[in-house]
């Protein structure tokens, strides 16, 4: 019918051709959007790998600077790093978890730290050949050794149990004072996370049970959108654990 109509009149033929072109352009636009979406995912993965390669190169250079006697308190020696992608992450529970696409065949082990440039995401609990299961930092049992500023007080940082971007540092002495807006970093005083990862900024300081201070921290890490992470493995972790166990038995 469209063919007969278009052949009987030049005006109708032009109108039908325009409608056909618009329809095809719309369909092509949808197809291009879908292709761009999947292409973007691949590009993000490539950029993530390149970023990890650059980070590894920077860490290698930092080690050489340390060997040359050029000291920097933010350098974290003794860690190896593996990029990973989050397969699944719970966010609406009190004991949230995260599943990653890397496992034992990629060198992942229980106790490896899960980090990004914006903070700490969790700790690996269990692994199989190709996947790993971790305890999210949005978990009431999760604690990170944190330092206020580059050389300030150290205390355990934990999720506040309510907001996805709020945490608290507990067990701080009553005599300390903290300026609002100071940056909080990982302390490096554990075999899980390297030192100097920025975690968030300080907020209100309050007294708990009249005995210690509790500090509110606004986190940098957006747990609602995180997808690409890095697994941090402490070198010679077994030796450190053996020494810690020995010290605890004495």
């Amino acid at each position: 019918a469209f063919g007969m109509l278009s052949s009987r009149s030049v005006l109708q033929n032009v109108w039908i051709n325009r409608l056909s072109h618009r329809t095809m352009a719309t369909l092509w636009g949808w197809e291009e959007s879908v292709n761009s979406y999947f292409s973007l995912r691949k590009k993000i993965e490539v950029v993530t790998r390149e970023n990890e390669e650059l980070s590894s190169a920077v860490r290698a250079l930092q080690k050489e600077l340390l060997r040359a006697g050029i000291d920097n308190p933010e350098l974290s020696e003794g860690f190896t790093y593996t990029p990973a992608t989050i397969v699944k992450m719970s966010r609406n529970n009190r004991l949230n978890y995260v599943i990653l696409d890397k496992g034992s065949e990629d060198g992942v082990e229980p106790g490896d730290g899960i980090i990004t440039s914006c903070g700490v995401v969790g700790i690996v609990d269990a692994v199989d050949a190709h996947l790993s299961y971790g305890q999210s930092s949005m978990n009431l049992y999760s604690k990170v050794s944190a330092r206020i500023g580059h050389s300030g007080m150290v205390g355990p940082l934990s999720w506040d149990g309510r907001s996805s971007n709020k945490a608290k540092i507990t067990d701080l002495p009553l005599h300390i004072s903290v300026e609002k807006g100071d940056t909080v970093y990982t302390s490096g005083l554990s075999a899980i996370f390297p030192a100097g990862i920025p975690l968030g900024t300080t907020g209100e300081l309050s007294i708990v049970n009249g005995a210690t201070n509790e500090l509110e921290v606004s986190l940098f890490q957006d747990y609602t959108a995180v997808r690409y992470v890095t697994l941090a493995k402490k070198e010679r972790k077994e030796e450190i654990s053996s020494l810690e166990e020995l010290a605890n038995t004495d």
Side-chain angles (χ1 to χ4, degrees), residues 224-241:
T224 63
V226 61
R227 176 168 173 77
Y228 300 100
V229 298
T230 299
L231 289 159
K233 179 193 299 296
K234 181 69 173 178
E235 297 172 354
R236 304 172 68 181
K237 183 166 57 178
E238 295 79 5
E239 295 179 27
I240 296 172
S241 299

Side-chain angles (χ1 to χ4, degrees), residues 123-197:
I123 302 172
V124 174
D125 270 346
V127 298
D128 66 11
H130 304 290
L131 295 171
S132 55
Y133 175 94
Q135 177 178 286
S136 167
S137 292
M138 288 178 59
N139 187 304
L140 295 180
Y141 292 114
S142 178
K143 294 186 183 296
V144 178
S145 179
R147 185 184 300 276
I148 303 168
H150 289 298
S151 57
M153 182 66 64
V154 173
L157 179 140
S158 58
W159 179 44
D160 72 353
R162 297 184 298 275
S163 173
S164 63
N165 66 341
K166 293 291 184 182
K168 58 187 178 181
I169 299 177
T170 56
D171 301 328
L172 295 173
L174 291 176
H175 67 272
I176 72 162
S177 60
V178 178
E179 293 292 332
K180 282 188 179 181
D182 281 353
T183 301
V184 177
Y185 302 89
T186 51
S187 70
L189 300 180
S190 74
I192 300 175
F193 303 109
I197 300 173

Side-chain angles (χ1 to χ4, degrees), residues 32-50:
E32 184 62 27
S33 297
V34 172
N35 290 336
S36 297
Y37 171 77
F38 288 105
S39 175
L40 180 60
R41 288 188 60 181
K42 292 180 180 178
K43 289 178 181 177
I44 290 175
E45 292 174 359
V46 170
V47 169
T48 301
R49 287 195 297 270
E50 290 177 348

